[in-house]
Structure formats: structure tokens, C-alpha cells
Amino acid sequence: MLRALLAAPVIAAPVMAAVLAAAPAQAADAQLQKAVANPARAEEHKARDAWRKPAETLTFWGLKPRQTVIELSPGSGYWTEILAPYAKATGGTYVATGADLANPNVSEGAKRGRAAFEAKYADAAKWGPVKVVNFGPQSGPLGAPGSADIVITARNVHNFMYQQGMLDKVLKDAYAVLKPGGVLAVEEHRADPRPETPGVTDGYVAVKTVVAAAEKAGFKLAAQSEINANPKDTKDHPFGVWTLPPTRRTSPNGQPANPAFDRSKYDAIGESDRMTLRFVKPA
């Protein structure tokens, strides 16, 4: 045994350090893959993975164990079903935003939406703890200053632009809650190479619009990715981006569905062409 040990090759210290450093990263990747593969996720969410590319997107944004992640306007919980279990498994914290219950003018529909979301993800044994904070035009801070590692906004920028001053407020709040070096993660329907429509009424936003707004708030663009690009998206659809999956609108918003509308062309396109950006709060 002693001869075997003496004969064993000596591993240089820097190489050994690299091997040891790789182990936590590999473990983190395994936890992320496990969260994506979680059978508890909704079938309609899993069906979108080919378009949303969750593991690749979250890796690009820099998701790591033990981080505090805040997701803005999580919708039905596509990212919740991945991020909350990942946070639980890796010692992190997942926070979602909901209707601003401190605002006396918040609509009953918004209140019901928040209540439904909280009920859907109330089982901490299944999903991990899901904290919900107030969010809206008059809401307070997203959390304690400098307390979050990542703030994620996925397919929401166009909605923020529909309310005067809302995008600026959202980005200011995100900047305040992030630690120095923290990440603002953005996924958004991309208008480029054509210009935005007036008022972005079709849901497509120019990359330069997002970059300018983020830089105005103090962020620096760190990287762009084509992970969520879709070159088949012509961005010329009768009911805007909502003509495409998953919304699959067949008539103007607010009108009854049109059963005679031929969806085949739009279903063949798939989900929208999207920008995927990583901004950083300067250290």
C-alpha cells in the first residue's frame, strides 16, 4: 500500500484546486437539471421547455446555489416551478411578486390572481418556500437594499411600458434590491431588426429600448445570448405576439375567439423570437 501511494502521480496544487472547485459547480448543475426535470411541474409548462430552454437560460443568467432570486410578475409560475425547488435544494431563497395589497385601488381581479398563485404554490414540501411581495405602480421596495443576487423579468417589459413610468420604477426597484455585482435578468419579445410599433402594441420591444432603460437605472449590459432566438418569427401577426403560442389568439383582444381563423401558419412558427440579456449592478 505504501509503495502504491509513493508511486501515485503527484497532482499539482493548481490542478487539484481546479478539480475541487469544479465539484460544487457540477453539483449545482445537477440540482438545476433535477429542478427542470421535476415531475411535479405542470404539463403545459414542461411542453414549453423546447422554446424557453430553462437550464440554458438560467445558467446564462448566472444562477447559483444559495442565491436570493426575485422574479417579477411570474404569471402562471413557469419559472416558479424550477426556481423555488432549486432554491430549496441549494440553500437559496425564491421571491415572487404579486398584486400590491397595500394599494387601496388594486383591482379585485389582481387580488384574486395573487391569491390563486399563492394557493397554487403553498405546499413548501412540494415546491419549496415561495415568498410573495407587493408589486405595482405604488408599491414599496422589493426587499431590503442590497439583499438579492438576481432579479428576473421574463416577457414582461412590454407590459411595464404600457403604464406611464412603470418601467423606470421597476428597474429602479430592481437596482435598489440587488447586491453590488447582482444580476438583472431579462427575457423579452424582440422587435429587431424592424423598429418597434408605436406604443409596442404588438408586444415586441427593441433591444436598444431595454438597454437604454436599464442603463438609465444604473445597470451595465454584461452579455447577450441567442438562446431564445427564433428566426422563423416574422413579427408580423394579426394579433401581435399573442397570435403565436402559447396564447394563440384568433381575434382582437377582448373579442370572442374566431373558430374560422387558420392557426397553422402561426403554430408552425412556434413561440416568439426573444432577446435574453444579463445586466449587472456595478460593484
Side-chain angles (χ1 to χ4, degrees):
M1 178 65 73
L2 180 59
R3 285 195 300 271
L5 289 172
L6 292 173
V10 176
I11 300 176
V15 175
M16 178 61 77
V19 171
L20 293 174
Q26 291 168 354
D29 290 345
Q31 289 293 348
L32 179 55
Q33 295 292 344
K34 183 178 178 180
V36 172
N38 184 358
R41 294 179 60 211
E43 289 301 321
E44 61 267 26
H45 290 161
K46 290 188 285 186
R48 300 181 64 195
D49 286 355
W51 298 108
R52 303 297 297 269
K53 300 179 178 64
E56 298 92 331
T57 299
L58 291 170
T59 299
F60 168 73
W61 282 335
L63 180 69
K64 294 180 178 64
R66 297 180 297 279
Q67 289 182 325
T68 294
V69 180
I70 300 175
E71 183 184 0
L72 308 180
S73 299
S76 63
Y78 176 88
W79 289 114
T80 306
E81 292 179 359
I82 297 170
L83 290 168
Y86 178 84
K88 179 185 179 184
T90 64
T93 301
Y94 171 75
V95 180
T97 67
D100 182 8
L101 301 182
N103 182 352
N105 297 317
V106 70
S107 71
E108 291 302 316
K111 291 179 183 178
R112 287 193 298 270
R114 172 168 173 165
F117 178 87
E118 291 181 319
K120 184 176 182 180
Y121 298 109
D123 188 348
K126 180 178 181 180
W127 299 113
V130 175
K131 179 182 179 182
V132 181
V133 298
N134 289 339
F135 182 67
Q138 301 175 25
S139 58
L142 294 169
S147 61
D149 297 283
I150 303 179
V151 173
I152 295 174
T153 177
R155 304 156 67 107
N156 289 319
V157 171
H158 58 286
N159 291 320
F160 300 150
M161 293 174 70
Y162 297 151
Q163 303 176 65
Q164 184 68 34
M166 184 63 179
L167 181 57
D168 285 344
K169 179 188 184 300
V170 167
L171 295 175
K172 180 180 178 182
D173 289 349
Y175 191 90
V177 78
L178 282 168
K179 301 173 181 177
V183 170
L184 171 67
V186 178
E187 176 195 5
E188 179 55 55
H189 310 298
R190 177 167 54 185
D192 307 68
R194 63 147 172 90
E196 289 177 357
T197 58
V200 295
T201 53
D202 61 359
Y204 288 96
V205 183
V207 172
K208 66 179 183 181
T209 297
V210 178
V211 172
E215 289 181 343
K216 179 182 176 182
F219 291 103
K220 301 298 181 185
L221 179 63
Q224 303 183 58
S225 174
E226 292 298 297
I227 293 170
N228 292 299
N230 181 0
K232 294 192 295 184
D233 185 5
T234 62
K235 307 168 189 187
D236 180 20
H237 316 309
F239 314 115
V241 71
W242 305 281
T243 314
L244 300 178
T247 305
R248 304 179 75 241
R249 190 172 290 169
T250 60
S251 61
N253 188 29
Q255 295 188 17
N258 176 9
F261 183 81
D262 183 1
R263 287 218 41 83
S264 57
K265 170 183 173 181
Y266 306 102
D267 288 345
I269 291 171
E271 294 200 16
S272 68
D273 176 58
R274 297 184 303 281
M275 66 183 88
T276 308
L277 310 177
R278 184 173 74 244
F279 295 92
V280 174
K281 177 178 177 176

